[in-house]
Amino acid sequence: MNGTLLQKFIKLIADYVGLQIREQDYDNLCDKIFMRIKSLKLSLPEQYYQLLKSQNKTSKNEWEKFITLLTVTESYFFRDRGQFELLKNVILPGIIKSKEASNEKVLKIWSAGCSTGEEPYSLAIIVQELIPNWKDWNILILGTDINEVALGKAREGIYSHWSFRLLEKQIQDKYFDKFQGKWKLKEQVKKGLSLTI
Ligand SMILES: C[S@@+](CC[C@H](N)C(=O)[O-])C[C@H]1O[C@@H](n2cnc3c(N)ncnc32)[C@H](O)[C@@H]1O
């Protein structure tokens, strides 16, 4: 693909989904563009560019597929151990204490780029561990992502052992049920907390 067209793709992606493609990923991007071109049986990259650019239903559907290829959805429970330790031991206890003091039992947490759900569900687990009477609170944990396939998996809440590599067994048993060789998040984790993905 010529450099000018590649730059047009990069700008379109940045404008449409906010993803910044780094120079070292240009070859990878070209591979993904050509994968979609092949799948759609188009003959030229320019045709694919025009398809993405046209703001209609076909283009919207194609963006969903393209985004699935472009995004990296690696996730597991309590993935960034340092961040979660800070949230569990410092940030959330501080917020909870001040909310309790002002009798304003409202807590809202946003997992932006939540992928397959391990991050918002880790947050839900921490919140339930930190607030024994969490049912008396108005708690919203919001998970959002541009990758619709990942969001579908997040809503399902079913995970293989790989997602649990950092989770204590006792917490896994408490919040998940065995399900067809995998683990399914207990409904209680979603219910009451208003866990929206
Ligand atoms: C590597 S995963 C990280 C998932 C989770 N936050 C974690 O740390 O385990 C990055 C996620 O961010 C999403 N993402 C990237 N850019 C995004 C954007 N502009 N808006 C929403 N989600 C985005 C991707 O689709 C992907 O699922």
Side-chain angles (χ1 to χ4, degrees):
M1 186 182 335
N2 73 54
T4 312
L5 184 56
L6 180 61
Q7 287 307 321
K8 280 167 76 179
F9 269 110
I10 288 165
K11 182 167 183 332
L12 189 64
I13 293 165
D15 290 347
Y16 193 87
V17 281
L19 284 178
Q20 305 296 323
I21 309 290
R22 298 168 305 176
E23 206 169 333
Q24 65 259 42
D25 296 325
Y26 284 4
D27 285 347
N28 197 275
L29 172 64
C30 288
D31 289 347
K32 285 167 181 172
I33 291 170
F34 281 106
M35 274 168 74
R36 291 308 303 149
I37 288 173
K38 194 173 170 202
S39 172
L40 291 163
K41 299 188 171 53
L42 299 175
S43 35
L44 294 168
E46 178 66 35
Q47 291 171 308
Y48 188 56
Y49 175 79
Q50 290 304 334
L51 166 62
L52 290 176
K53 204 165 183 294
S54 58
Q55 293 177 346
N56 54 34
K57 192 158 186 319
T58 319
S59 142
K60 193 171 175 292
N61 290 341
E62 181 50 35
W63 269 110
E64 268 186 36
K65 295 191 179 101
F66 193 38
I67 286 168
T68 304
L69 285 180
L70 290 179
T71 47
V72 178
T73 55
E74 165 78 353
S75 189
Y76 44 90
F77 292 98
F78 297 90
R79 177 167 174 249
D80 191 322
R81 197 186 273 266
Q83 273 180 11
F84 277 106
E85 288 293 314
L86 198 63
L87 276 166
K88 190 173 122 197
N89 299 322
V90 182
I91 298 172
L92 284 172
I95 293 173
I96 292 164
K97 205 173 159 197
S98 81
K99 297 267 181 181
E100 272 170 341
S102 60
N103 205 22
E104 188 211 345
K105 292 181 177 164
V106 179
L107 190 60
K108 293 181 181 175
I109 309 176
W110 179 21
S111 166
C114 70
S115 185
T116 39
E118 289 93 330
E119 185 174 274
Y121 293 146
S122 299
L123 290 164
I125 289 170
I126 292 183
V127 166
Q128 292 196 13
E129 290 289 306
L130 289 176
I131 312 178
N133 64 332
W134 57 269
K135 284 186 181 153
D136 300 334
W137 282 59
N138 175 4
I139 299 170
L140 168 70
I141 297 175
L142 175 68
T144 59
D145 204 285
I146 45 168
N147 184 322
E148 283 295 331
V149 176
L151 284 178
K153 288 185 186 160
R155 290 184 193 113
E156 239 177 34
I158 300 169
Y159 298 95
S160 68
H161 72 282
W162 192 237
S163 291
F164 296 98
R165 69 194 95 156
L166 284 185
L167 197 65
E168 294 154 38
K169 185 77 174 71
Q170 169 245 335
I171 295 284
Q172 182 174 348
D173 290 338
K174 186 170 168 186
Y175 291 96
F176 295 84
D177 291 317
K178 280 194 179 136
F179 181 79
Q180 298 175 354
K182 294 185 177 181
W183 293 79
K184 185 171 186 172
L185 191 78
K186 286 190 176 169
E187 277 306 308
Q188 66 157 79
V189 189
K190 295 186 193 173
K191 275 190 199 156
L193 282 178
S194 189
L195 216 159
T196 307
I197 290 177

